[in-house]
Amino acid sequence: MKWNKFTIKTTTLGEDFLSAMLSDLGIEGIEIEDNVPLTKQDQAEMFIDFLPELPPDEGIGYVSFYLEDGKDHREILEQVKAGIEEQRQFVDVGEGTITASDTEDLDWMNNWKQYFHAFTIDDILIKPTWEELKPEDKDKFLIEIDPGISFGTGKHETTQLCIRQLSKYIKEYKKDAPVKVLDVGCGSGILSIVALKLGADFVLGTDLDENCITSTRENMEINHLPAESGNFYVGNLIDDGELQSKVGTSDIVVANILADVIIPMAKVIPSLLKEGGVFITSGIIDFKENEVRDAIKAAGMEIIEVNHQGEWVNVTARKNG
């Protein structure tokens, strides 16, 4: 389906006023574009390691809206033009000009799937649920994943670094006793599922997004893993004491997040680990490596391995008694 896209050139001050005006006219799906730099608060909430390079902010903004193709939009456009002029009484809306273009109604929720195909990490085959299993792969160590709207296909370097470390340390702990793994920021549940398939006896997972907990449960079912082999919670382990009590202590804590989350989290990790337990972490861009190392050391853990893949870093540390 095609849509007619109309874009109002305005000022950054006028963006909210024009958006509210369009909403009052019954227009939905409003889009705002500008070059206003992210504030420190924005950056903290987004947990981003590096910012996009934007052109200088010259105070110009663009407010776009979409109307169904093939219909007569003259009346609504006249209302929009009148609304722009009305808003000039309250704020500088700049040029207030409207340009038109056409756009396709794409299935953004599913189009990305064309880029996610089966791949291997060492001897582990990770396959999207929508692909058929090839005959030559039927005897491979298989994990099936549908990330849905959650993060985690397994293809990113940071996930692969964590999977290799999980494989190594689950085998080490499995020699002596049952193994319990805590997956912080579980996303699609891929690391929890890998842990169980590699021999962990029980997993716990946390994430800030309730959708991730749903995705994890669904992916466990897809992989024929019993629901009772894991508990998953919504919350932030950094400052939620009740959640910390719920998850208790584990042999392994794995966190594939970002350095700006790992750094403040490091101080609570020892309380979530059994004596001799390991903290496997990745999502660390290379120029943040030293900050993460310092935070882990300050928390009293011993760094036992550092691995690199491209520009990404994995740091593994141990809690010693």
Side-chain angles (χ1 to χ4, degrees), residues 2 7 27 50 69 115 141 186 190 224 269 273 301 307-308 310:
K2 282 191 174 182
T7 302
I27 295 172
F50 42 90
D69 184 49
Y115 304 107
F141 188 108
C186 57
I190 186 166
H224 311 292
I269 294 300
L273 278 172
M301 291 179 281
N307 298 295
H308 297 80

Side-chain angles (χ1 to χ4, degrees), residues 29 46 77 94 102 138 148 203:
M46 294 172 71
L77 288 175
D102 293 327
K138 285 187 176 177
V203 295

